[in-house]
Every structure is written in C-alpha cells, then in structure tokens.
Amino acid sequence: MIDLRRIRYVRVGTPDLGEATDFATKVLGLEPAGRERGMAYFRSDERDHTICYVEGDPARHSVAFEVSESADLQAIAAEIERVGYPVHAGTAAEREARRVLDFIAFKDPTGNEIEIVWRAQYATRRYFPSRDAGITGFSHIGLHTNDAGRDEKFWTQVFNARASDWIGDAPLLRINPVHHSIALFPSSHVGVQHINHQVESIDDVMRSWYLLREQRGIRIVFGPGRHLSSGAVFLYFEGLDKMVYEYSCGVRIIEDEATYVPRQLPFTAEAFCMWGAKPDIVEFRAPDPLVTL
Ligand SMILES: [Fe+2]
C-alpha cells in the first residue's frame, strides 16, 4: 500500500481554450499560470497549477495525486499492473506539460484516468486571484464509478485511501486528514464528476451564490447548503461542458485516525444537505421510485 500525500491537479478537455480561460478567470476566479501548446494552466493556491484545460475532447479528464518518493512510482506501477491494469510511464514531453519531474498514468477499474506525480512544481509568487472568490485551494474531486464497492477496494487496497463516510454506496475517501479528497459516485459515465475548491468562509460561498446567479448567468445546481458528512458549507454550479464545480468551506479534518468511525448515511437529499437543499445533480439524486399503474 502506497501513501498518496494529496490531490495535485485535474486536467480537463475543452473544445475552446479561450472559453475555458474566461470561465476559469471570470467565474471560478483562478489565476492564469501560462498557456502553451494547446494547454491553459490555472492556479488556486501555492502550487504551480491545479487545473489545466487541454484542447480536445471535453469528456476526457484526468486527476493527479502526489507521492513523496520516486520509488513510490515504481511500486505503484508494479501493483497496478499486478492487479491487471496497464501503466504508462510519463514521457519527457508529458512530464514537461505537467510541470513535474516524473509521473505514471493508468485507469482505475471504472476507466477514470489517474496520474501519480512526483516533485510537482510550486509557484514562485503568491496566489493572486482573477476575482476575489475567497479560494484557498483546490481540494477534492468527485469521480464517476460503475461499481462503487469494487472501486473503493481499489483505492483502499492499492493506496492509503480510507472511507470517511458513505452516502448510500458512494464512499467519501480520505488520503490525509481532510475528510475526503476523492468521492466515488455511482454513474454510467466515466471521468471527473465535480471539482472542488475550498473558500475561506461562508461569506465567500454566499457572495458567489449571488454573483454567479445574478451577474454571471451561471446555473446553480445545488446549494447553498451544508453537507451532513463533511460538515462543509457548499455551493455547486455548472461550468463548461456540464462539468460541475463546487466551492466549500469548513470541511471536517480528521485528526485522530484511531478513534474516527466512518458513518453510513442513506442516499437521500437530506444526507447530502442537512439544511434541506435539493441537488439538481443526477449523481446526487436517488432514482425515482418506479411508478406502477
Ligand atoms: Fe464535493
């Protein structure tokens, strides 16, 4: 079992880099960190970049996690291949494009594209947002899964992920004290289901709610609300190509591994939002009961 230190970046396909740049800066509020060879990079914190929009198929996404040691890459590659999935070693051009010293790439059992990176670059200047959304950093992703139990085993047996809570079959997985860095949502799709940035306070969540809805014409798909599981106050909204983005604050930090007990929650709107907000996100909604005449 190899320790993933934290989530590092997400790469998202886009048919239009200009449009993606407008969204990242004017809506999300990220800082541009370069645009070259069909890729536009954006910062949200001390890291060189945390989102890279890649010219191409908007259905293609990949998410990267960091390891501490170069040898971890070889150990992970051997284990992933042992359990039956091919592993790609990053080429020089691919490493340069990711601004990392080394990485490997593979697909999880659902087919989600995963990268494991070593010595990813940090920025040399403090984060300076394009708009003051209050972002403190890129924090987690939701992933689609076509078998939540199988994929939970993959993440918890190959890596150091452990379930912090479950909502129905969907595990919220942590790889460090943050309540979750990966959440697996049952779905017939593949790829990233939502992209989370932490913001400083509930005031930032509420400011963005008004601003995005009333001034930017953005479709709010869930919230404002508070997750019962992580305790975070959240707002979900729809970005380009129907990708869902989230701002949240106050996520639970699990300091004591020995005493923490994960909870099984029902797959209901109340479990997703303790205030009563109803999600307009298909993966967060229980299937409608069958109507029989
Ligand atoms: Fe989330």
Side-chain angles (χ1 to χ4, degrees):
M1 190 184 70
I2 309 290
D3 276 3
L4 301 176
R5 288 178 61 200
R6 66 168 171 171
I7 195 166
R8 184 71 198 201
Y9 59 72
V10 61
R11 291 167 67 83
V12 179
T14 177
D16 187 335
L17 273 186
E19 207 182 0
T21 297
D22 272 359
F23 174 79
T25 53
K26 294 175 185 160
V27 176
L28 269 181
L30 305 181
E31 177 184 354
R35 179 168 165 173
E36 56 201 32
R37 288 169 292 179
M39 289 171 281
Y41 300 79
F42 295 93
R43 289 180 62 197
S44 60
D45 50 40
E46 78 284 2
R47 296 170 273 197
D48 174 86
H49 69 279
T50 48
I51 294 188
C52 180
Y53 289 98
V54 182
E55 211 161 46
D57 181 356
R60 276 200 73 182
H61 322 128
S62 55
V63 57
F65 298 89
E66 282 181 76
V67 288
S68 306
E69 307 292 336
S70 171
D72 292 342
L73 296 182
Q74 285 82 58
I76 292 169
E79 182 61 13
I80 299 285
E81 283 179 340
R82 193 187 68 78
V83 295
Y85 303 98
V87 175
H88 169 75
T91 64
E94 290 168 338
R95 292 195 297 260
E96 196 184 330
R98 286 155 181 79
R99 303 178 180 172
V100 301
L101 248 63
D102 204 0
F103 81 103
I104 57 170
F106 56 87
K107 290 182 179 173
D108 76 359
T110 285
N112 296 306
E113 296 188 38
I114 310 296
E115 299 181 355
I116 308 293
V117 304
W118 175 63
R119 283 177 63 182
Q121 274 183 32
Y122 280 75
T124 52
R125 293 285 186 274
R126 69 188 149 195
Y127 171 56
F128 189 79
S130 297
R131 82 166 181 88
D132 183 17
I135 288 177
T136 55
F138 170 50
S139 186
H140 70 252
I141 42 100
L143 281 180
H144 294 282
T145 174
N146 56 29
D147 186 333
R150 178 203 60 204
D151 288 359
E152 180 181 335
K153 277 202 190 106
F154 175 83
W155 286 100
T156 55
Q157 292 179 357
V158 177
F159 300 104
N160 57 326
R162 52 260 184 223
S164 292
D165 289 312
W166 297 270
I167 305 176
D169 292 336
L172 306 174
L173 301 172
R174 71 185 183 280
I175 54 173
N176 54 37
V178 178
H179 181 274
H180 58 280
S181 295
I182 313 164
L184 302 176
F185 294 105
S187 160
S188 56
H189 293 102
V190 175
V192 174
Q193 183 268 345
H194 77 268
I195 298 172
N196 172 278
H197 292 87
Q198 293 291 300
V199 295
E200 201 168 283
S201 76
I202 189 172
D203 298 326
D204 298 307
V205 172
M206 295 307 292
R207 273 191 205 106
S208 279
W209 181 50
Y210 284 107
L211 180 116
L212 297 185
R213 206 174 48 144
E214 294 175 7
Q215 294 178 37
R216 297 286 192 275
I218 296 293
R219 197 166 86 82
I220 305 297
V221 291
F222 192 20
R226 187 190 289 277
H227 287 308
L228 179 58
S229 54
S230 67
V233 170
F234 65 79
L235 180 72
Y236 290 81
F237 52 97
E238 193 173 270
L240 302 176
D241 305 303
K242 303 231 179 282
M243 176 60 79
V244 171
Y245 291 81
E246 177 190 16
Y247 293 137
S248 67
C249 66
V251 66
R252 181 164 292 126
I253 302 297
I254 297 170
E255 301 285 6
D256 191 350
E257 283 284 328
T259 59
Y260 184 79
V261 179
R263 294 166 301 170
Q264 175 65 56
L265 300 171
F267 197 85
T268 60
E270 291 76 18
F272 277 99
C273 179
M274 60 194 291
W275 294 347
K278 299 282 187 289
D280 189 9
I281 299 173
V282 68
E283 294 82 17
F284 292 1
R285 295 177 72 105
D288 291 331
L290 286 175
V291 177
T292 48
L293 296 173

